[in-house]
Amino acid sequence: DTAVSQTPKYLVTQMGNDKSIKCEQNLGHDTMYWYKQDSKKFLKIMFSYNNKELIINETVPNRFSPKSPDKAHLNLHINSLELGDSAVYFCASSPGVFTEAFFGQGTRLTVV
Amino acid sequence: GNSVTQMEGPVTLSEEAFLTINCTYTATGYPSLFWYVQYPGEGLQLLLKATKADDKGSNKGFEATYRKETTSFHLEKGSVQVSDSAVYFCALSDPGGYQKVTFGIGTKLQVIP
């Protein structure tokens, strides 16, 4: 069973479109995250949710809106996509503070 | 704020060579420290971790020791293999209660036969 799964794995879309990436974890963790990995492999946290509540919003443009319908899901919706949004987006979860994060396989978003 | 500094790559080694990837951190409290590995086209996987000073994390021949006095967590392996080629990330968990993991920039390792 996949612990953290995100869909789709690849997403190619035109500038200006709106798209969503879905994430689900079956680990029973309280905390979920979205990270963005740029072309140089640098990982930057975007959002963190704990028990469906937003904990961290790291100065991400408001075109990005996370939604957590329940503790096991954290979806990412992106409006008005821009070329600079092209990256790999990783969902992750962790059981709490001081613990490691478990990552999904990533969604490679390409905006053309 | 918290930060992680690790050596930039790429690091290119011959098979069976000794590996060291340096990592130092800045944190306000006493974080847990991690090394993650990302193989080409895949997500990140936890390689090893240490939760307190002087702890040694180890896995698959890799080791790292939590050094509070030097705020370091260097990754080592005595004999690398081609299959170790990947990007390695040093990371810490935020002790400030925000429940986030902060990553270094990643070090790409290439092992040649």
Side-chain angles (χ1 to χ4, degrees), chain B residues 18-96:
Chain B
F18 185 86
L19 168 71
T20 300
I21 301 178
N22 291 336
C23 171
T24 57
Y25 67 90
T26 302
T28 52
Y30 301 97
S32 292
L33 302 174
F34 311 96
W35 277 100
Y36 284 82
V37 57
Q38 184 178 28
Y39 298 103
E42 297 186 12
L44 280 76
Q45 303 171 29
L46 179 69
L47 180 60
L48 54 85
K49 68 177 182 180
T51 57
K52 61 183 187 298
D54 300 325
D55 268 2
K56 178 186 281 188
S58 61
N59 186 25
K60 300 181 181 179
F62 291 89
E63 293 183 339
T65 301
Y66 190 142
R67 301 284 188 204
K68 183 167 169 287
E69 64 276 10
T70 54
T71 61
S72 65
F73 193 55
H74 305 321
L75 182 68
E76 296 182 337
K77 186 175 185 182
S79 176
V80 294
Q81 306 300 313
V82 172
S83 57
D84 294 326
S85 298
V87 181
Y88 292 82
F89 293 89
C90 186
L92 66 81
S93 68
D94 191 333

Side-chain angles (χ1 to χ4, degrees), chain A residues 46-47 60-66 76-79 85 89:
Chain A
M46 300 173 68
F47 301 103
V60 176
N62 57 17
R63 298 183 295 104
F64 291 80
S65 53
L76 183 65
H77 188 77
I78 315 169
N79 289 327
D85 298 332
Y89 292 84

Side-chain angles (χ1 to χ4, degrees), chain A residues 9 31 33 35 37 40-43 45 48-50 55-56 58 90 94-106, chain B residues 30-32 34 36 38 41-46 49 51 87 89 93-106:
Chain A
K9 189 171 182 180
T31 306
Y33 314 84
Y35 282 85
Q37 186 175 47
K40 295 184 178 178
K41 300 292 187 184
F42 182 68
L43 268 168
I45 191 166
S48 171
Y49 269 71
N50 186 55
I55 301 296
I56 297 171
E58 290 282 317
F90 285 101
S94 66
V97 186
F98 307 135
T99 61
E100 66 268 29
F102 294 78
F103 283 78
Q105 291 297 298
Chain B
Y30 301 97
S32 292
F34 311 96
Y36 284 82
Q38 184 178 28
E42 297 186 12
L44 280 76
Q45 303 171 29
L46 179 69
K49 68 177 182 180
T51 57
V87 181
F89 293 89
S93 68
D94 191 333
Y98 288 105
Q99 299 178 318
K100 74 174 182 181
V101 179
T102 301
F103 288 85
I105 60 171

Side-chain angles (χ1 to χ4, degrees), chain A:
Chain A
D1 281 346
T2 304
V4 182
S5 61
Q6 50 183 112
T7 54
K9 189 171 182 180
Y10 299 97
L11 185 53
V12 181
T13 188
Q14 291 186 325
M15 282 175 56
N17 284 350
D18 302 339
K19 291 294 178 185
S20 292
I21 307 172
K22 294 185 176 181
C23 178
E24 177 182 5
Q25 55 98 359
N26 62 6
L27 298 167
H29 291 166
D30 288 339
T31 306
M32 296 186 72
Y33 314 84
W34 278 107
Y35 282 85
K36 179 180 180 181
Q37 186 175 47
D38 63 23
S39 58
K40 295 184 178 178
K41 300 292 187 184
F42 182 68
L43 268 168
K44 183 172 172 56
I45 191 166
M46 300 173 68
F47 301 103
S48 171
Y49 269 71
N50 186 55
N51 280 321
K52 302 194 299 175
E53 290 190 26
L54 180 66
I55 301 296
I56 297 171
N57 180 342
E58 290 282 317
T59 60
V60 176
N62 57 17
R63 298 183 295 104
F64 291 80
S65 53
K67 292 284 192 302
S68 182
D70 55 57
K71 205 172 76 166
H73 295 83
L74 181 61
N75 304 321
L76 183 65
H77 188 77
I78 315 169
N79 289 327
S80 303
L81 278 155
E82 301 176 357
L83 292 177
D85 298 332
S86 296
V88 181
Y89 292 84
F90 285 101
C91 178
S93 72
S94 66
V97 186
F98 307 135
T99 61
E100 66 268 29
F102 294 78
F103 283 78
Q105 291 297 298
T107 297
R108 182 174 293 277
L109 171 65
T110 304
V111 182
V112 297

